[in-house]
C-alpha cells in the first residue's frame, strides 16, 4: 500500500486577511431566534449576527483575499460544532444540545445521509469549476448558487469550511477558442476567469477559500500520474498516458453505468491505440499550436479529469467530506475522478457526492453545446441578479428547473415585495430609538416567529429544501405589512418591538440564502430600473402617463383612465392609488400572468 498524503498537502497554509462574509445565528440546530421576553434587546445579544462583508463594489466581484489557504480557525465569537457531544458551543462557551442533524443526498449511495464530517467542526468541500473560455450561462449560475447556499449554511451551523473551487484553464475548448481569436490560451482563460468572478459577485456568491488553476498545478498533476503508473493502473503510448479502466473494478459505481455506456462526444476520445475504448487520457502529448509542459513522458498537457483529482488532493487530502458539481459531471468526469484518485491512493475517499439538477428550456438541458443557453450577463441585463438568485433557489437543488420569462418576472416581483416590506419596516424603526423599546413582544408575533423558525430549520436540515424556507417568509412579511399599513396594526401594542423582531428574523434567513442586500433602497431602485428597461419606458414617460390618468379621472373620463392603467399593467408597470397620490411599482406583465394562471 502506497499513500501520497505528504506529497499533496496544501502548498501554502495561511489565513485570508481580507474581510469575508460570515452569518452566524444564535443556535445551530435550534430555531434561528430563541423566543424570550428579552428578544429585542440587542445589548443582551440574544441574536448573534456577524457581518464580515465581501466587497462587491459597484456590483463587481472584488476580493483581496489570499488565494491559497488551508483551514483557518474559527473566531471566538462564532459557534463551533462539537461532534462528540452533539452540542452547539456559542461564543460565550455555553453548550446547547442539538435537536437534529443536517441530511444531504449522496449520489453514491442514492439516498440522504446524516452529514458527519471527517474532522469534528471542519468541512472540506471541492466543487468543480468552469472551463474558462466564454461567458458563463445560467446553468453555471445554478451550480455555484446551489453550492454557495450549502457553503453559507455549513458556516451558519458553525463549521469551518475549506471550500475549493477550481478553474479549468487548460482544455481543448480553450485552445480551439484561442486559436479562433488568435489569442494565447492561458491569457484568454485568465480573462474569462475574471468575467466569472464578476458574475459570481453579481449573484452574491461568496468567494471560495481557494481557487486553484490547472496551469498552476502541473507538478501536482504529474506526480499523481506517476503514482497511477507506478500502481500499474495506466499505460504510455507515444507520449500519451491513458488510465486503464479495466484495472479499477469499481468503475461505474457512482453513475450506475457500465463501461460500454462511455460515449464519444462526452470527453471520451476515440483512439484505436487504447486498450479499452473507455480508457481516458491522463496526459496528452504536445501538438503544434497548443500550450505544453515538460514531463517524464515528453512535452504535453494534462487530460481533463486528472486536474480535479490532483487539485482536490493538494488542498483537501485524499479523504475529504464533500465533492460537488452539476449532474452532468456524474459521468464520466466524477466517475473518472474516483477511479484515478483511488488508483493513486487506496485510502482515497469522499464522504458525500452532491449534484444539482439541470436548468432546462422547454424540458431540454441548457448547454453551450446545444446552443440553447442564456448567459448570466444576458439575464441580469433585464432582471436584477437577486431575482435570478431567488429563481434558482426557488426550486430544490436536485430538481430540474425550467427557465422562462414568466418565472423570472415572478421572482423579480417577489424580491421587490420582500425588500419593499423590509425597507418600509426599516424606515419606521429608524424613527424609534432602540433604547426606548421594551423587552417583550406579543404572543401572536412570538407564535409567528416560532413557526417560521421551525419551518426553516426542518427544511434546511432536510437536504437544503430552500423552496420551503422561502415560502415560510409569507406569514412574517404579512404581519409586518399589517403592522405598517392597517389601522388595527398601527394601534397594536408593542408594534415597534414586533417589527424589530420580525425584521431581524427575516434578515437572518435572507443572509443564510445569500439574499441580504447592502441596502433595501438601492435594490428597490435597481429593480424599478430593470422593470422600466423591460417595458422600454423611462420613468419620465411613466410619470407622464400617471399625470394623464389623473387628469382623466378629474374629468371623469374613467374609460380612458382604466385604459392607461391596463396598458401599463400589460408591460409590467402597476399603478397604486393612495391618499398621497398615485405611484408605480414593477409587476408581472398581464400577458405573462395569463400564461401561468396557477402561479404563486
Amino acid at each position: 500500500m502506497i499513500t501520497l498524503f505528504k506529497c499533496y498537502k496544501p502548498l501554502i497554509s495561511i489565513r485570508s486577511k481580507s474581510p469575508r462574509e460570515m452569518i452566524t445565528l444564535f443556535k445551530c440546530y435550534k430555531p434561528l431566534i430563541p423566543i424570550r421576553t428579552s428578544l429585542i434587546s440587542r445589548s443582551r445579544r440574544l441574536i448573534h449576527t456577524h457581518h464580515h462583508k465581501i466587497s462587491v463594489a459597484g456590483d463587481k466581484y472584488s476580493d483581496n483575499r489570499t488565494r491559497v489557504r488551508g483551514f483557518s480557525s474559527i473566531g471566538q465569537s462564532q459557534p463551533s460544532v462539537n461532534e462528540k457531544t452533539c452540542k452547539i458551543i456559542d461564543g460565550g462557551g455555553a453548550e446547547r444540545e442539538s435537536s437534529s442533524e443536517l441530511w444531504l443526498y449522496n449520489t453514491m449511495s442514492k439516498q440522504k445521509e446524516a452529514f458527519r464530517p471527517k474532522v469534528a467542526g471542519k468541512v472540506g468541500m471541492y466543487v468543480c469549476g468552469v472551463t474558462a473560455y466564454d461567458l458563463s450561462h445560467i446553468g453555471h449560475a445554478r451550480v455555484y448558487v446551489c453550492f454557495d447556499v450549502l457553503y453559507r449554511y455549513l458556516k451558519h451551523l458553525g463549521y469551518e469550511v475549506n471550500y475549493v473551487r477550481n478553474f479549468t484553464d487548460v482544455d481543448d475548448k480553450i485552445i480551439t477558442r484561442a486559436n479562433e481569436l488568435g489569442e494565447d490560451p492561458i491569457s484568454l482563460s485568465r480573462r474569462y476567469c475574471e468575467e466569472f468572478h464578476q458574475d459570481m459577485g453579481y449573484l452574491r456568491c461568496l468567494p471560495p477559500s481557494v481557487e486553484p488553476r490547472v496551469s498552476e498545478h502541473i507538478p501536482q498533476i504529474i506526480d499523481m500520474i506517476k503514482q497511477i503508473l507506478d500502481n500499474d493502473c495506466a499505460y504510455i503510448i507515444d507520449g500519451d498516458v491513458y488510465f486503464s479502466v479495466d484495472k479499477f473494478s469499481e468503475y461505474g459505481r457512482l453513475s450506475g453505468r457500465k463501461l460500454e455506456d462511455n460515449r464519444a462526444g462526452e470527453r471520451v476520445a476515440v483512439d484505436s491505440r487504447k486498450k479499452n475504448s473507455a480508457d481516458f487520457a491522463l496526459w496528452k502529448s504536445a501538438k503544434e499550436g497548443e500550450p505544453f509542459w515538460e514531463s517524464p513522458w515528453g512535452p504535453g498537457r494534462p487530460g481533463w479529469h486528472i486536474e480535479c483529482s490532483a487539485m482536490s488532493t493538494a488542498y483537501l487530502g485524499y479523504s475529504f467530506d464533500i465533492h460537488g458539481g452539476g449532474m452532468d459531471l456524474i459521468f464520466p468526469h466524477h466517475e473518472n475522478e474516483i477511479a484515478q484518485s483511488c488508483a493513486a491512493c487506496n485510502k482515497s475517499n469522499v464522504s458525500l457526492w452532491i449534484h444539482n439538477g439541470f436548468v432546462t428550456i422547454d424540458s431540454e438541458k441548457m448547454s453551450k453545446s446545444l446552443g440553447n443557453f442564456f448567459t448570466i450577463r444576458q439575464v441580469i441585463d433585464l432582471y436584477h441578479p437577486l431575482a435570478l438568485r431567488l429563481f434558482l433557489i426557488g426550486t430544490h437543488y436536485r430538481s430540474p428547473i425550467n427557465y422562462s420569462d414568466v418565472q423570472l418576472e415572478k421572482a423579480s416581483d417577489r424580491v421587490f415585495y420582500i425588500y419593499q416590506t423590509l425597507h418600509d419596516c426599516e424606515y419606521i424603526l429608524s424613527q424609534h430609538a432602540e433604547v426606548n423599546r421594551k423587552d417583550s413582544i406579543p404572543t401572536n408575533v412570538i407564535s409567528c416567529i416560532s413557526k417560521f423558525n421551525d419551518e426553516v430549520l426542518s427544511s434546511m436540515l432536510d437536504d437544503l429544501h430552500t423552496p420551503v424556507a422561502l415560502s415560510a417568509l409569507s406569514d412574517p412579511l404579512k404581519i409586518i405589512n399589517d403592522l405598517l399599513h392597517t389601522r388595527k396594526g398601527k394601534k397594536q401594542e408593542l408594534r415597534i418591538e414586533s417589527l424589530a423582531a420580525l425584521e431581524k428574523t427575516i434578515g437572518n434567513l435572507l443572509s443564510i440564502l445569500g439574499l441580504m442586500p447592502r441596502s433595501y433602497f438601492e435594490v428597490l431602485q435597481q429593480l424599478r430600473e430593470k422593470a422600466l428597461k423591460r417595458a422600454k419606458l423611462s420613468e419620465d414617460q411613466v410619470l407622464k402617463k400617471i399625470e394623464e390618468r389623473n387628469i382623466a379621472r378629474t374629468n371623469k373620463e374613467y374609460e380612458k383612465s382604466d385604459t392607461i392603467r391596463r396598458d401599463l399593467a400589460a408591460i409590467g408597470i402597476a399603478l397604486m392609488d393612495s391618499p398621497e397620490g398615485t405611484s408605480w411599482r414593477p409587476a408581472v406583465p398581464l400577458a405573462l400572468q395569463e400564461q401561468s394562471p396557477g402561479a404563486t
Side-chain angles (χ1 to χ4, degrees), residues 20-63:
R20 295 181 53 79
E21 181 172 282
M22 179 66 162
I23 297 93
T24 306
L25 305 187
F26 184 65
K27 291 193 176 184
C28 178
Y29 296 115
K30 294 282 187 179
L32 304 182
I33 301 178
I35 308 303
R36 300 184 186 176
T37 56
S38 55
L39 177 67
I40 308 307
S41 174
R42 300 184 189 219
S43 62
R44 300 188 187 185
R45 300 190 61 178
L46 286 177
I47 307 166
H48 299 290
T49 306
H50 303 272
H51 295 290
H52 298 271
K53 295 182 180 178
I54 171 178
S55 173
V56 191
D59 272 341
K60 286 194 174 183
Y61 188 102
S62 174
D63 171 38

Side-chain angles (χ1 to χ4, degrees), residues 39-104:
L39 177 67
I40 308 307
S41 174
R42 300 184 189 219
S43 62
R44 300 188 187 185
R45 300 190 61 178
L46 286 177
I47 307 166
H48 299 290
T49 306
H50 303 272
H51 295 290
H52 298 271
K53 295 182 180 178
I54 171 178
S55 173
V56 191
D59 272 341
K60 286 194 174 183
Y61 188 102
S62 174
D63 171 38
N64 298 317
R65 71 195 184 287
T66 303
R67 289 280 176 182
V68 181
R69 74 179 184 92
F71 285 119
S72 61
S73 61
I74 300 176
Q76 291 183 349
S77 63
Q78 300 166 1
S80 62
V81 181
N82 185 329
E83 271 81 27
K84 291 184 179 180
T85 61
C86 294
K87 293 183 178 181
I88 308 306
I89 305 173
D90 67 16
E95 290 188 351
R96 300 178 181 86
E97 294 183 3
S98 64
S99 60
S100 187
E101 292 180 288
L102 173 62
W103 289 72
L104 297 169

Side-chain angles (χ1 to χ4, degrees), residues 11 33 41 67 84-85 248 252 328 428 489 524 557 575:
L11 303 179
I33 301 178
S41 174
R67 289 280 176 182
K84 291 184 179 180
T85 61
F248 186 62
D328 56 327
I428 294 298
L524 288 169
E557 298 174 317
L575 300 185

Side-chain angles (χ1 to χ4, degrees), residues 138 359-362 366 373-375 378-384 387-388 391 401-414 530-531 533-536 570-572 587-596 599-600:
I138 61 171
V359 176
T360 61
I361 295 181
D362 297 327
M366 177 182 292
F373 69 95
F374 294 96
T375 66
Q378 287 174 317
V379 176
I380 64 175
D381 182 52
L382 293 176
Y383 296 94
H384 197 283
L388 175 55
F391 162 72
I401 182 171
N402 198 54
Y403 175 87
S404 68
D405 287 344
V406 68
Q407 295 301 326
L408 263 295
E409 288 284 357
K410 289 176 195 171
S412 186
D413 188 62
R414 185 62 175 171
K530 298 289 186 185
K533 189 169 187 177
R534 295 194 299 274
K536 299 179 180 178
I571 55 176
V588 179
L590 289 178
L592 291 179
Q593 290 183 39
E594 293 167 2
Q595 289 180 18
S596 184
T600 56

Side-chain angles (χ1 to χ4, degrees), residues 102-131:
L102 173 62
W103 289 72
L104 297 169
Y105 185 86
N106 188 355
T107 305
M108 181 67 80
S109 66
K110 310 297 187 291
Q111 63 184 7
K112 285 186 278 189
E113 299 178 9
F115 176 65
R116 291 165 188 151
K118 294 177 182 294
V119 178
K122 296 184 177 182
V123 178
M125 179 169 75
Y126 186 95
V127 176
C128 291
V130 294
T131 300

Side-chain angles (χ1 to χ4, degrees), residues 222-250:
I222 289 174
D223 285 347
M224 180 169 275
I225 294 173
K226 281 181 179 179
Q227 191 63 44
I228 295 170
L229 282 165
D230 289 346
N231 290 340
D232 195 31
C233 291
Y235 55 93
I236 306 167
I237 301 177
D238 301 327
D240 295 321
V241 182
Y242 286 100
F243 184 88
S244 179
V245 295
D246 292 325
K247 295 296 181 73
F248 186 62
S249 61
E250 294 187 352

